[in-house]
Amino acid sequence: IAPVITMYLTWLERKVIGRIQNRYGPNRVGIFGLLQPIADMVKIFIKEDIVPLRADKVCHFLAPVIIIIPSLLVFAVLPFGRHMTAVNLNVGLLFFIGVSALGVISLFMASWASRNKFALLGGMRAVAQIISYEIPMVLSVVPVILATESLSMDAIVKSQLGGHWLVLTPWGIFAFVVFFLCGVAEINRTPFDLPEAESELVQGY
């Protein structure tokens, strides 16, 4: 279910960004462009894998594979509904934070594997940004832990039954804004996309 959610959240994001920029966004493949994520998947699978001559070929191959693993593992502890958590850990929130930080390793692997000093500098710049936003992200969930007295994601959700949403408290709104901004920064979305420097570079890191 995680890849399907990711596919259509990406589709929704592209539609919203298209509307903001006064353009259509994906609208050619399927009704309202709903099959665009499938078309993108096919395109990615048939793309040629170009590996620089002096690159560390094993590291170069593993980096994009490893970056997917943390992205999917975080869904394991997310409660989608009553009795709909894949793994109900009593330290689920800690697991979520720890696993989400592992993407840094694959970014550094990708930049290191190409054996290019500029790619390495770009990768280090991206890693530095992600690590710097990890600290406020972790601190923003501390009020939730204190309010619910639990690290279990299920327990946190159950504590909000009956309309007692933590985000509606003054500290909850502040924590949500901090967490949201840190999340946007960690995935290099505008305006936190400076490490990729799209105006200067055409090939990412």
Side-chain angles (χ1 to χ4, degrees):
I1 192 170
V4 176
I5 291 171
T6 306
M7 282 164 52
Y8 287 101
L9 282 178
T10 305
W11 172 85
L12 181 63
E13 180 193 26
R14 290 173 69 182
K15 292 295 269 188
V16 170
I17 289 172
R19 183 55 62 102
I20 291 169
Q21 296 172 349
N22 199 23
R23 57 185 177 81
Y24 288 112
N27 68 338
R28 299 298 176 96
V29 189
I31 301 169
F32 304 116
L34 283 169
L35 296 179
Q36 186 65 48
I38 308 294
D40 290 340
M41 183 178 65
V42 172
K43 181 187 78 171
I44 289 169
F45 276 124
I46 63 175
K47 284 185 82 168
E48 182 184 359
D49 183 20
I50 299 172
V51 181
L53 189 64
R54 297 174 56 205
D56 182 335
K57 290 177 176 54
V58 175
C59 201
H60 194 273
F61 171 77
L62 285 177
V65 174
I66 290 174
I67 202 166
I68 295 297
I69 296 169
S71 307
L72 296 177
L73 275 177
V74 294
F75 284 93
V77 293
L78 289 182
F80 290 98
R82 190 184 297 274
H83 308 299
M84 290 179 63
T85 309
V87 184
N88 185 12
L89 297 176
N90 59 354
V91 288
L93 190 57
L94 201 60
F95 176 86
F96 180 92
I97 293 167
V99 168
S100 64
L102 291 177
V104 173
I105 297 169
S106 54
L107 279 181
F108 188 72
M109 282 174 64
S111 61
W112 174 268
S114 63
R115 295 283 170 89
N116 181 296
K117 61 185 176 185
F118 298 109
L120 181 60
L121 285 171
M124 289 175 68
R125 198 161 61 159
V127 167
Q129 173 171 299
I130 291 173
I131 291 173
S132 66
Y133 282 99
E134 276 291 327
I135 297 165
M137 179 182 270
V138 172
L139 290 176
S140 71
V141 300
V142 171
V144 175
I145 298 168
L146 293 174
T148 59
E149 299 180 356
S150 176
L151 287 168
S152 166
M153 299 290 271
D154 276 26
I156 291 169
V157 171
K158 285 176 184 175
S159 71
Q160 299 178 81
L161 292 175
H164 304 295
W165 288 10
L166 301 176
V167 74
L168 298 179
T169 61
W171 54 266
I173 294 171
F174 180 74
F176 168 75
V177 169
V178 171
F179 188 89
F180 177 77
L181 290 176
C182 291
V184 172
E186 286 203 16
I187 59 173
N188 287 337
R189 289 295 195 215
T190 308
F192 301 98
D193 56 348
L194 293 177
E196 291 189 34
E198 290 183 354
S199 59
E200 306 159 27
L201 308 174
V202 294
Q203 296 294 329
Y205 306 129

